[in-house]
Amino acid sequence: MASRLAVASTLALGSAGILQTADAQIVQDRFLSRVQASDQGSCSVVTVEFNVPVQYQSHFPETGGRDLRIAVQPLNYLRLRGSRETASESVRPPGSKIAGIQQVTYDVGDTAGPTLTLQFDHDVNWTVEADNDVSRIIIHVANAGSAGCLEDGSAATGTGSAALADAVLSVTQTLPDAVDPNGNYSINLASTRGDKLDPSAVKPVDDFRNHVGYAYVAEENGATWSRLRLGTFATRTDAEAVLAQVLPSYPDAWIVRIDRKERDFVYRAWAAAKGISVDGGAGAVPTAPIDPVAETALEEARAKFAAGDFPETVRLAGIVLGMPESAASPAAQELLGLAREKAGQLAHAKAEYETFLQRYPNDPAAERVRQRLSVLVTGEEAPSGFADTGEDGEGRKSNIRAGATGSLSVLYQRDESGYRYQDTPTVGGSEVNPDPVETNQVNLNEMLYGVDLNLSLGTDRNEALFRFSGLYRDDLNTVDPRDETSISSLYLDISDRQWNSSLRLGRQTRNTGGVFGRFDGAYAGAQVTDRLKINGVAGFPVQSSRDIKVNSDRVFAGASIDYAVVPDALDATAYYLNQTYGDLQDREAAGLEFRYFKGDRTAYGIVDYDVSYAQMNLVLLNATQKFKDESSVTVALDYRRSPFLTTQNAIFGQLVSDPNDLLGTYTEDEIYQLAEDRTAYSRSAFVSYARPLSKHVQLNLDVVASNVSGTKASGGVEAQQATGTEVYYSAQLVGSDLFKPGAIAIFGLRYAELDTATQMSYQFNGRYPLTKNLRLSPRLRIDDRQSADGTSSRTSGRGSLAATWTPIRMLQFEAELGGVFSDGQNTFGTNQERGYFLSLGIRKDF
């Protein structure tokens, strides 16, 4: 089967194999969901979201470069059963200018194990961490050599510190003495589209003395919002008390529950601003007194500006500037220039901007004023994102916005093999056929058309998102072609960020609360207290994304609660789910999940118990510890029924597709027993160790042991034998920037000790950038397999060369050409395979 080229970027692997699925069973689905970025000062916080729970293990290189590789293990992925030829996946990169991400891919079959790779268009520094949401990975990115993402804002110096502090000082010169680093809430005072906060949206309030006013930029569903916020607050009640005080100045203000990355950012920005104000260094901004009369006049001037009354704005700003110097003076000087510019008095505006830069060269708004002055002098297009987003005499523009993002892709792939059989026994006799038997077979000849579409409508607080992700497969084989359509996602999501609540209707994927796969139905969740969130879900399991119609015979409903046991350290989820299939009980699950994340330690666990069968369905524990020398150890213990125990399993080996059709032959209890008999027990343990040997070389070692039980004979179905204990030993050597920046080489060895055979595998993966936009990626794998009884052996190999060309951002061409070979012998003779495969594709993101 041809290797799946990562061109169908943000569509589900509709043509990939699906493991036996129900709503609570493991689906070999698309892993990547989306990637978003928030630019804060000179730091970009990149969030990679997955469709399944994942475990961050390690990353390399440790501190920076142009290619970041992150070992990310999907927790619900059958590590030993998955195909090593599973497609690598790509998603639309975020629009962050700081990060400059060219491509994001996730390859389960990577030589070094499941790997998330981010490719940047320039040298950057990074840090990587797990999130309290186990389906997300957080990456802090800054330009190489900058201090934009320093962990401790109080230690920041230079450009990085100034950019970080600007998030606060561009809003207010008044700083509180302390900030709660563990606050859960902020007040969203105002929001504007774009990556820069509109200065006219800032209106000084007394609460800036007690809480931090700050600008926060974030990407939501492909749209960038600049937010003016006040925080942080330990509880919603605390925030509500302050909200009542700021509503007269900010009538559209609302309370938002903030996540850990925003909370950390607020504290670091406040510390950096405090350091600049106290230290009085080169970038220091003198602290001016607050004059209530001047502040009132400034607020009136901003109101007139917003209404398009520029002459009155000029008059009021002049009054402020005629008063003794105060905290309102810089803002009034800038506003005076803006009003002159809007009124068409460009020469006067130029003079006012020059006056601002002479009087306040170190003010946080100075860079913004320099840009506006440059526009007047050079005639270039004005920077977007501030001052001209609604105060142009036409009245204030609505914050309601509509947006569309997604990907379109086309992929052609072909796989053809020739087979030769020698010394095979003749039919019905013991003689050997002296003539070789040769056949040729087209394994794959198809076009794949992929669409991923996100349509959003709403404000920064309330938003409706429509998402469609689908694939059409055009089988080009002339004999028995099988064209297929698959729909991975088709839903409408309505969210309210103030109450951290959402409602999702349609085909979707969920991997918590007892639901571990795709379904057609509804999900609703709401934050009811500071620590407690309740969730409800109901619908119909989707066996395969190729099932276009809703199967209403199989129905489930469930509820779960998410509780922050120790905020920012330990979360837990308890759930109950009931599922029926016609007249039969299909699954009744009660379970508990926990997520631990503290410093360099992370852990995730789940226990799923089927009440109706009185059987444990899943016990899973994953934990990672990172050490001071940047090495890390990951341990995973996994016990589960394989496949998940549901009544549907009773159809295995039967001539029916619905267990209800067995009711004419068996009783309900007998059908339940058939389901148990068809379901095996799977046990596995995994230990991984990663250690950087140098700045450019990392060593990975891992051991996996597994055992799958046999099944009982019943209902005319023969018993299945147990696999015995299988052990896999792996070692990989990863080199980065070996020959030139961005060049990667991975060498891997894998030894498998199975019940019936042993196998040694040799692997090589590489990537070499010929230019900034063109990369070559060679791959080679050789397998040598020997049976335990010595009666058979096989040596096989697969190699390819892929090229990726990104002429412009959001447009990518890919091509891959490779070959396969296999030489084997057994008691039936010898056999050979020789074949080739190729892929050609294009993806356009928007």
Side-chain angles (χ1 to χ4, degrees), residues 4 95 135 354 408 488 549-550 618 657 677 690 810-811 819 834:
R4 296 285 196 261
S135 64
E354 290 174 343
L408 301 174
S488 176
K549 296 182 179 179
V550 176
L618 173 66
S657 58
D677 293 345
M810 301 292 188
L811 178 64
R834 300 292 185 271

Side-chain angles (χ1 to χ4, degrees), residues 363-374:
D363 189 89
E367 181 58 30
R368 184 167 63 234
V369 172
R370 289 189 186 95
Q371 292 184 48
R372 285 213 162 269
L373 181 59
S374 176

